[in-house]
Amino acid sequence: MDNFKRRDGLPMEFDGAEAAAGALNPDREPPQEEPARQYYFIEKCRQHVSEEGRRLGHPLTAAVITFGCQMNARDSEKLSGILERAGYVLTDSEEADFVIYNTCTVRDNANQRVYGRLGFVNSMKKKNPHKRVALCGCMMQEPSVIERIRTSYRFVDLIFGTHNLFKFAELLCTMYESDRMVIDIWRDADRIVEELPVTRKYPFKSGINIMFGCDNFCSYCIVPYVRGRERSRRPGDILGEIRALAAQGVVEVMLLGQNVNSYGKNLEHPISFAQLLREAEQIDGIERIRFMTSHPKDLSDELIEVMGSSDKICRHLHLPLQSGSTRILQAMNRRYTKEQYLALAEKIRSRIPDISLTTDIIVGFPGETMADVEETIDVVRRVKFDNAFTFLYSRRTGTPAAAMENQVPREAAQAGFDRLLACVQETAREQVARLSGQTRAALVEEVNPHDPSLLTGRLSNNIIVHFPGAASLIGRIVPVELLENHGFYFIGRMTP
Ligand code: SAH
Ligand code: SF4
Ligand code: F3S
């Protein structure tokens, strides 16, 4: 779970759009076109928020609680931007007057955590009846979830989904003007609405959506059902956003999509992801470019070439393997074999020797045996992943894998998982150890929350280093000598 911090004086993105939107007088009819319509509702919300604040005798506070992936984190920044514009003071405490949970449903434990938070917030709402609670994000795209909330969590004030997030200001107004649960869920998105306000978590780095949705339909995965069909943003809009961020002092951007390697294929004027990266690299002020996530089946030689020859594109590639068994990969609908994955990893490592390769792996997919897990372990040993996120398979309603008859019992999956995890930790430790004694550039991200004498920085290859230094260095890129290897991070020292 990732809460939002308020950063005073943080510039909002896209100030120009508001001026261009014109018709902001909330006493007039709302404009039909977007995003002007939403700027109109933001003004209208301001009236509700200030009236309620006056009634309660304090400025209203709001907390956005985020579950799930980078894409949800970026969506939460959009929600925060609108809340802040509407006059709320942002906090990360669920004690806030308005709490919104941005949910994830990729695995069942993500759902269970949301229900747990709802139980907790309900008890707070009983003490403070003026408190308002909203739910949005991937979980809300599942009809069974909506049914459960409607019947068992009747205290929730507002529910919306992933496709109409841009309408948040309008929905907030409806919430204030209604005394019933407001629910608005769309089946899919018909457009991409640009230029709404954003409040970033970090002033010096930012995620940027380059595409939405996913068309891959891996047989275990719910994302295509809750995020809809793949849609790419226009390159001009993306590059314009990166330029605006650079002008505000952002030095690192992360381009976000479920499968960035298929970026641009369906645009009116098609463009490849590698071409987009080439253009993004030209933008002055941006020092580092990251991206998530790459599907192995679509990773082009052109991309490897662009990465290899770039000073700005980070030395990190997250390349989800999911399984090392060709038989299981086929059942997963991943569309590559064990051998193809190994050859790809080899090609990347030989062209970009200092790259860090990380991955995602699922254990316990229907029909998986210990022999299949051994195949996965074989890939882990051969590729030597710098890090790997391992997940126990979670059965997601509506996905093809959920209907497969050969579901693996929990204990068997757990045994495979434990074996794999031990192996993953071993290779990761060995990989990280190779950096010992080197001096590398680190982007200083924050004061270490556990030891305020230390700063926390991130290397280009995504490895974390803690080192003594002053908070004024936050947002700067500094050289750090990597002294002590602690498995997944280093303790270091800034060098002059
Ligand atoms: N688009 C990204 C992944 C998004 S979901 C990609 O294709 O790689 C992040 C990770 O969650 C996936 O890589 C997968 O390892 C894991 N995951 C997805 N569905 C899952 C399920 N039903 N059970 C367990 N893990 C799952
Ligand atoms: Fe899910 Fe596969 Fe799409 Fe990734 S590529 S979001 S795992 S369906
Ligand atoms: Fe979760 Fe939705 Fe991301 S299901 S992983 S928050 S796309």
Side-chain angles (χ1 to χ4, degrees):
M1 185 164 44
D2 187 7
N3 297 354
F4 271 76
K5 299 182 187 81
R6 179 173 167 78
R7 288 186 194 264
D8 281 319
L10 195 71
M12 299 268 196
E13 290 156 41
F14 300 120
D15 270 340
E18 187 177 15
L24 289 179
N25 181 348
D27 299 327
R28 286 207 227 135
E29 281 295 298
Q32 288 304 311
E33 70 281 9
E34 298 291 3
R37 186 177 172 87
Q38 296 313 311
Y39 281 96
Y40 165 93
F41 280 108
I42 289 174
E43 283 311 304
K44 216 164 171 208
C45 279
R46 284 190 79 83
Q47 295 182 339
H48 288 300
V49 170
S50 93
E51 263 163 41
E52 185 146 321
R54 223 173 299 127
R55 213 157 36 78
L56 294 170
H58 65 254
L60 290 195
T61 54
V64 184
I65 311 294
T66 312
F67 299 84
C69 64
Q70 312 271 1
M71 249 134 319
N72 254 22
R74 183 61 178 164
D75 284 348
S76 287
E77 294 188 337
K78 296 177 183 174
L79 299 170
S80 300
I82 288 166
L83 288 167
E84 203 170 25
R85 280 296 172 97
Y88 286 99
V89 176
L90 296 182
T91 148
D92 48 17
S93 160
E94 283 161 279
E95 299 279 342
D97 299 299
F98 178 57
V99 184
I100 174 160
Y101 294 95
N102 189 9
T103 64
C104 169
T105 186
V106 77
R107 286 170 292 275
D108 187 53
N109 53 10
N111 294 45
Q112 295 314 322
R113 281 164 65 205
V114 171
Y115 290 122
R117 297 321 292 168
L118 281 178
F120 168 66
V121 85
N122 186 21
S123 63
M124 289 199 280
K125 191 165 172 166
K126 281 191 181 131
K127 283 183 230 139
N128 291 315
H130 75 271
K131 190 180 185 79
R132 291 174 203 260
V133 179
L135 288 165
C136 66
C138 297
M139 226 175 123
M140 301 306 125
Q141 293 296 137
E142 290 179 272
S144 59
V145 169
I146 301 299
E147 227 15 75
R148 180 165 171 189
I149 292 164
R150 238 198 247 269
T151 49
S152 309
Y153 299 87
R154 298 174 58 89
F155 62 90
V156 171
D157 300 282
L158 167 64
I159 306 178
F160 57 99
T162 55
H163 302 305
N164 54 348
L165 184 122
F166 73 90
K167 263 186 72 182
F168 180 43
E170 186 167 348
L171 293 166
L172 260 183
C173 273
T174 315
M175 177 186 86
Y176 273 108
E177 288 159 15
S178 159
D179 49 13
R180 306 178 42 187
M181 188 189 279
V182 176
I183 305 180
D184 190 13
I185 311 286
W186 296 6
R187 284 173 145 251
D188 210 339
D190 54 353
R191 62 190 144 167
I192 299 175
V193 177
E194 302 274 350
E195 307 215 339
L196 283 163
V198 176
T199 296
R200 292 193 310 277
K201 187 176 175 188
Y202 299 99
F204 53 87
K205 69 169 188 177
S206 180
I208 294 176
N209 301 104
I210 63 166
M211 58 207 296
F212 302 93
C214 182
D215 285 352
N216 286 317
F217 291 95
C218 303
S219 64
Y220 50 83
C221 184
I222 199 165
V223 171
Y225 305 89
V226 296
R227 286 273 171 178
R229 297 293 54 74
E230 186 181 294
R231 286 146 282 142
S232 293
R233 283 177 74 195
R234 284 189 298 257
D237 292 334
I238 297 167
L239 297 167
E241 185 174 347
I242 301 177
R243 276 187 209 102
L245 289 166
Q248 292 165 18
V250 166
V251 294
E252 179 179 301
V253 289
M254 183 183 271
L255 310 184
L256 301 172
Q258 292 298 352
N259 176 15
V260 292
N261 296 327
S262 67
Y263 169 79
K265 290 188 178 150
N266 298 325
L267 282 169
E268 197 186 337
H269 304 288
I271 153 172
S272 70
F273 177 56
Q275 278 172 290
L276 179 74
L277 280 174
R278 267 203 191 104
E279 304 233 356
E281 258 199 311
Q282 308 299 319
I283 297 174
D284 285 338
I286 297 299
E287 312 247 3
R288 284 181 167 187
I289 303 173
R290 300 185 182 279
F291 53 85
M292 284 266 267
T293 299
S294 288
H295 194 303
K297 78 176 165 61
D298 298 316
L299 196 139
S300 67
D301 289 350
E302 187 193 11
L303 176 65
I304 301 175
E305 199 47 51
V306 171
M307 285 186 85
S309 58
S310 168
D311 294 333
K312 290 189 178 179
I313 302 172
C314 286
R315 292 309 197 229
H316 174 215
L317 188 66
H318 187 65
L319 195 61
L321 167 68
Q322 311 302 2
S323 167
S325 153
T326 296
R327 191 177 69 86
I328 295 295
L329 284 169
Q330 233 159 26
M332 285 177 161
N333 192 30
R334 289 291 287 181
R335 287 171 275 175
Y336 51 84
T337 61
K338 175 186 183 185
E339 287 68 31
Q340 282 167 333
Y341 188 97
L342 283 170
L344 180 61
E346 174 64 37
K347 185 158 64 174
I348 296 164
R349 284 229 194 265
S350 67
R351 178 67 186 85
I352 318 169
D354 57 345
I355 201 158
S356 138
L357 279 179
T358 59
T359 202
D360 291 343
I361 299 170
I362 298 174
V363 181
F365 183 86
E368 190 180 58
T369 63
M370 210 37 134
D372 294 308
V373 177
E374 289 301 332
E375 297 272 322
T376 303
I377 289 176
D378 183 45
V379 176
V380 170
R381 293 233 161 93
R382 286 159 74 171
V383 175
K384 298 194 174 61
F385 290 110
D386 296 75
N387 203 355
F389 300 94
T390 47
F391 305 108
L392 270 177
Y393 167 73
S394 173
R395 196 173 184 174
R396 311 313 290 135
T397 312
T399 61
M404 293 178 184
E405 277 166 11
N406 43 2
Q407 303 287 321
V408 175
R410 171 82 194 209
E411 307 73 56
Q414 188 67 51
F417 182 90
D418 293 344
R419 262 190 65 66
L420 174 70
L421 187 64
C423 168
V424 156
Q425 286 173 341
E426 194 183 302
T427 58
R429 206 168 290 126
E430 280 167 20
Q431 283 297 105
V432 174
R434 294 188 317 160
L435 297 171
S436 279
Q438 297 187 12
T439 297
R440 293 281 179 111
L443 171 60
V444 185
E445 295 197 338
E446 60 185 3
V447 172
N448 186 318
H450 307 292
D451 179 351
S453 73
L454 295 177
L455 296 173
T456 297
R458 192 180 295 270
L459 309 183
S460 168
N461 63 11
N462 215 34
I463 285 173
I464 295 288
V465 56
H466 306 288
F467 56 98
S472 57
L473 291 171
I474 290 174
R476 299 253 308 271
I477 296 177
V478 298
V480 180
E481 189 181 355
L482 306 171
L483 299 173
E484 283 168 44
N485 170 12
H486 286 253
F488 295 99
Y489 66 90
F490 276 97
I491 298 289
R493 164 177 74 202
M494 244 170 82
T495 59

